Amino acid sequence: MAYATLAEIKNELRDALGGSINYDSVLEQLASWASEYIDLLFGHAPGGFEVGTDPPPTPAAKRYNGSGRDELVIAECISVAKVEYFVGGAWTELAVDTDVVTLPMDETPIYGLQLIPTGSKQLFDKGVANWRITAVLGYSVVAPGPIKQATITQTVRWFKRAQSAFGDV
């Protein structure tokens, strides 16, 4: 999945796409590669900047080591559905917004959790993979403007470079 649409890229290339040759499949492939390249540069999973809405994103469970503090750093996500910890051979759930809040509060992407002092837990108990967070992983529902523009710019740059390299053929 590319962070920019074919129409957005073609708009940038409107002067260079003359003639009867259809470059759509080439541009889509270049945009996909540019998106993958951006993900690699930022250390994101493929498509990590844009969760999308079609189909609706589904929460996934991921396990974390307890920090021994009242805060826990988690993978970037746009929402947290469930927070659980493992104790006595079973998973126990904490109530989001009663026992734990997201960091930052009321913003995305979410990158951490903080226990509420009046909640049922005061620390993220230390342990190996003893916390399970179910969340919609990703940076945003739609790619941020600078990421979209970087995808378009890189796609256009690669396309124009290929045109100049093969211009004498």
Side-chain angles (χ1 to χ4, degrees), residues 11-87:
N11 186 48
E12 284 290 316
L13 285 168
R14 60 188 166 274
D15 297 332
L17 292 176
S20 60
I21 300 173
N22 184 340
Y23 293 106
D24 289 2
S25 64
V26 171
L27 292 172
E28 287 174 336
Q29 183 61 59
L30 289 174
S32 178
W33 287 340
S35 297
E36 289 176 26
Y37 182 61
I38 290 167
D39 289 333
L40 286 172
L41 288 174
F42 284 92
H44 281 220
F49 275 107
E50 183 173 85
V51 175
T53 57
D54 188 25
T58 55
K62 195 167 177 155
R63 293 175 67 174
Y64 297 88
N65 296 338
S67 63
R69 301 183 344 217
D70 66 342
E71 290 183 6
L72 182 68
V73 176
I74 62 172
E76 289 176 340
C77 61
I78 60 170
S79 67
V80 174
K82 195 186 314 185
V83 177
E84 301 168 288
Y85 63 98
F86 194 76
V87 63

Side-chain angles (χ1 to χ4, degrees), residues 91-131:
W91 290 99
T92 302
E93 185 173 350
L94 295 178
V96 177
D97 293 331
T98 303
D99 293 318
V100 65
V101 293
T102 59
L103 297 174
M105 293 181 201
D106 304 324
E107 289 181 36
T108 57
I110 297 164
Y111 60 82
L113 301 172
Q114 183 172 30
L115 292 168
I116 298 173
T118 58
S120 61
K121 207 75 174 124
Q122 275 62 52
L123 297 174
F124 285 100
D125 299 332
K126 281 190 171 189
V128 177
N130 61 331
W131 287 88

Side-chain angles (χ1 to χ4, degrees), residues 1-4 49-52 139-148 151:
M1 178 179 90
Y3 294 133
F49 275 107
E50 183 173 85
V51 175
Y139 187 86
S140 178
V141 174
V142 296
I147 298 300
K148 182 180 289 280
T151 303

Side-chain angles (χ1 to χ4, degrees), residues 128-167:
V128 177
N130 61 331
W131 287 88
R132 184 168 60 191
I133 313 301
T134 304
V136 176
L137 301 173
Y139 187 86
S140 178
V141 174
V142 296
I147 298 300
K148 182 180 289 280
Q149 187 58 51
T151 303
I152 293 169
T153 300
Q154 190 61 48
T155 302
V156 169
R157 181 174 288 148
W158 284 338
F159 181 78
K160 296 296 278 177
R161 184 176 293 161
Q163 277 188 324
S164 66
F166 303 120

